[in-house]
Amino acid sequence: MEDIHIEGVHEAFFTPTVNFEVATGHCEIAGESYLEETSKFYARLLDWLRRYMSTVKGSLTFDFKLSYFNTSSSKCLVDILDLLKNYQNSGAEVTVNWYYDDSEEELEEVEDFILETGLDINKIPME
Amino acid sequence: MIIVFDYKRTTIIIVNMESGITTKRRTVDNIAISYTGIFDTEILSVLAKEIEGTLSPDDKVNKKVFKIFIELAQNIAFYSLEREANNEGGDTGVGTMVIKNFDDHYVFSTGNKTTMENIIPVMEKCDNINSMSREKLREYRRLQRNMPAGEKGGGNIGLIQVALTASNPLEYSLIKCPDGTYFYIISVRIDKE
C-alpha cells in the first residue's frame, strides 16, 4: 500500500493537509477541514487506515492539527477516532495527539471527542 | 457576482458579472456586512473571506463568527424554499445574511423563505437547545455526532454548534409573506472578548 499525501488548500472550500505514512505508521491531518464532499474525502482516509490495520498491523501515531473543522468534518473525525479505538482494543499500539487552538471552546471539543470515543487523546495547545 | 465594500464600510457595491449591473447599497444601523441572494459556493467564499480577515481586529472573534457563518449559511443553501440555478447545474438556496456591529458584541443573522411545516421542527430544535445548559448541549452534540450521516436531523448538529460557539441563545422570528410562505430569521449574539 502507498502513503497518502494531500496538500492543504484554502479556497472556496478548505482541504486539510494529510500525510499518512505506511513505513512509520505516522499519520497527520492538519489545517482546515470544510469540504464540498466531506464523506467522500474521509472515506479514502478511513479506507487507508483499515487496510493498514489489517495488512501492515503496525503501531500508529496520529497527529490532529486542525485549526478549523466544520460539523460535517467532525462526524468523520469521530469515525477515525472510533477506528483507532477499536485498533487499540485489539492490542495495537496507538498514540493520538490533538493540537488545539488555545481557547476554552476548542479544549472542550477535544474533551468531547475523548468522552465520545473512549480513546486516550493527548491534548496539546497549538503554538 | 462580486461584492466589495468601500473603505468606510458604509457602502456595499455588488457587481453582477453576467449583466454588468453594479448596485450600491448603503449599510445602515450598525450593519458591518449584509448580503441577499444565492448562497452558492462562490458567494460563500467571498463572505467567508470578509468575515475571517477583516470583520474585527480580534482573530478569536472572527473565528467564532466564521464558524457560525459556515453552519447557518449551509442551512440556507440546502433548505431555503427560494432557489436559484447554480453553476453546477443544480440549484442553491437564496437568503439573507446580516452582521451587525455593536460596542461589545456582534449580532449574526440569517434569513430565508420556508413553509410553516418545514420550520416548526427547526423552531422546536432552537427552543430545545436554548433550554439546555452548556454541559447538556455538549452531551447532545456528542449524541448527534454519532447519528449515521444523512439521517434526518442532521441539521441539528449545526444549530448546536452555533449555540456552543456563540455561548448565547438562538433567537428566531417568523414573518408571514404575502404569498403564504414564511421568512424565517435566526440571530445569535457573539460577545467581543
Side-chain angles (χ1 to χ4, degrees), chain A:
Chain A
M1 67 187 280
E2 284 177 14
D3 293 352
I4 295 183
H5 292 293
I6 299 168
E7 192 78 36
V9 178
H10 181 106
E11 283 172 357
F13 289 96
F14 310 157
T15 308
T17 295
V18 179
N19 290 303
F20 284 10
E21 286 179 7
V22 181
T24 57
H26 182 249
C27 299
E28 177 191 55
I29 301 180
E32 299 164 299
S33 181
Y34 161 54
L35 300 139
E36 190 165 22
E37 294 182 291
T38 316
S39 304
K40 194 176 163 190
F41 180 87
Y42 280 96
R44 183 185 164 199
L45 307 187
L46 289 161
D47 184 52
W48 187 96
L49 286 168
R50 282 193 201 98
R51 276 191 293 142
Y52 180 89
M53 290 169 183
S54 61
T55 60
V56 181
K57 297 177 180 165
S59 65
L60 276 173
T61 303
F62 220 111
D63 289 330
F64 292 92
K65 294 180 179 172
L66 289 162
S67 59
Y68 171 71
F69 50 90
N70 66 346
T71 51
S72 309
S73 299
S74 77
K75 280 180 166 244
C76 298
L77 296 172
V78 167
D79 290 341
I80 291 179
L81 296 172
D82 282 338
L83 208 56
L84 295 173
K85 177 66 183 170
N86 286 340
Y87 192 46
Q88 192 176 53
N89 284 350
S90 74
E93 197 185 313
V94 177
T95 308
V96 183
N97 302 310
W98 197 292
Y99 296 79
Y100 65 97
D101 245 3
D102 200 6
S103 80
E104 188 59 33
E105 192 200 348
E106 310 216 348
L107 181 59
E108 275 180 3
E109 196 118 33
V110 195
E111 284 166 350
D112 283 350
F113 282 131
I114 295 171
L115 283 168
E116 210 166 324
T117 61
L119 187 68
D120 277 331
I121 301 175
N122 301 315
K123 296 167 281 186
I124 306 164
M126 238 187 278
E127 288 288 301

